[in-house]
């Protein structure tokens, strides 16, 4: 999500499942990956506490070790290396997750994706009508450019 108003943060999420079949004597494999992260142009501490708190609660319902592990993974993954800066303010991120029963990981992934609206929409609703200057809009465009840089 890339809102028009620079006071509304950009948010990204995706959750996925991969499975391969046996091939030439190599056993099939499966794993889950995904995450949700937030990139504000203007940081409002209360909003970030809400966003991160929502995902901490999701993680804690499934495994209390998930949030610190997946938050750290997100923080380390979303780095714009040549600038030595982060893409945003993190969230959760995981990949190659197959360390427990697939149904348990699926339940976690579904819980996480089903909390995107709860984590993000109150922040957008709170700021979508905030006034902004042309200078603030320009800063948002610079931040979006950094977002694109990460994906290149």
């Amino acid at each position: 999500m890339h809102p028009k108003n620079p006071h509304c943060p950009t948010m990204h999420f995706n959750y996925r499942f991969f499975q391969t079949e046996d091939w030439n004597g190599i056993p099939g494999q499966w794993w889950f990956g995904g995450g949700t992260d937030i990139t504000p142009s203007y940081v409002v501490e209360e909003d970030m506490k809400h966003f991160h708190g929502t995902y901490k609660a999701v993680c804690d319902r499934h495994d209390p070790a998930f949030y610190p592990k997946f938050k750290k993974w997100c923080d380390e993954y979303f780095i714009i290396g040549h600038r030595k800066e982060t893409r945003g303010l993190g969230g959760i991120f995981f990949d190659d997750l197959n360390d427990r029963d697939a149904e348990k990981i699926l339940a976690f992934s579904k819980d996480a994706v089903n909390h995107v609206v709860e984590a993000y929409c109150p922040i957008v609703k709170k700021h979508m009508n905030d006034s902004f200057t042309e200078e603030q809009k320009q800063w948002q465009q610079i931040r979006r450019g950094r977002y694109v840089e990460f994906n290149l």
Side-chain angles (χ1 to χ4, degrees):
M1 299 287 301
H2 295 272
K4 176 181 173 184
N5 192 309
H7 297 290
C8 297
T10 295
M11 185 271 306
H12 167 260
F13 74 97
N14 73 63
Y15 293 86
R16 54 204 176 268
F17 171 74
F18 294 97
Q19 184 170 4
T20 65
E21 296 178 350
D22 293 350
W23 179 77
N24 283 349
I26 300 170
Q29 299 180 33
W30 62 267
W31 66 94
F32 287 83
T36 306
D37 66 282
I38 195 160
T39 304
S41 296
Y42 294 94
V43 177
V44 177
E45 189 173 334
E46 177 184 321
D47 296 344
M48 296 304 99
K49 284 181 180 179
H50 167 77
F51 180 84
H52 288 285
T54 301
Y55 279 98
K56 182 178 185 318
V58 168
C59 290
D60 286 353
R61 279 195 291 278
H62 299 272
D63 185 332
F66 276 178
Y67 184 76
K69 179 179 179 180
F70 297 162
K71 166 98 175 72
K72 183 177 187 289
W73 200 339
C74 187
D75 291 345
E76 291 172 354
Y77 180 77
F78 291 111
I79 295 285
I80 305 169
H82 67 281
R83 291 193 182 275
K84 297 182 174 71
E85 67 184 48
T86 61
R87 182 175 89 174
L89 292 182
I92 61 171
F93 176 78
F94 60 94
D95 204 7
D96 300 320
L97 191 60
N98 63 359
D99 64 346
R100 59 198 73 203
D101 180 72
E103 290 300 321
K104 289 183 179 183
I105 303 171
L106 176 61
F108 164 67
S109 297
K110 287 169 72 172
D111 198 11
V113 79
N114 286 332
H115 280 82
V116 168
V117 170
E118 180 182 322
Y120 182 63
C121 287
I123 299 169
V124 172
K125 285 179 183 174
K126 180 179 170 184
H127 297 291
M128 64 189 221
N129 294 315
D130 289 359
S131 61
F132 57 90
T133 65
E134 184 59 33
E135 182 180 75
Q136 290 170 322
K137 187 66 177 176
Q138 286 300 108
W139 176 244
Q140 179 192 43
Q141 296 305 315
I142 290 168
R143 294 301 305 150
R144 283 189 179 165
R146 300 278 169 63
Y147 193 95
V148 171
E149 280 182 38
F150 170 80
N151 290 316
L152 294 177

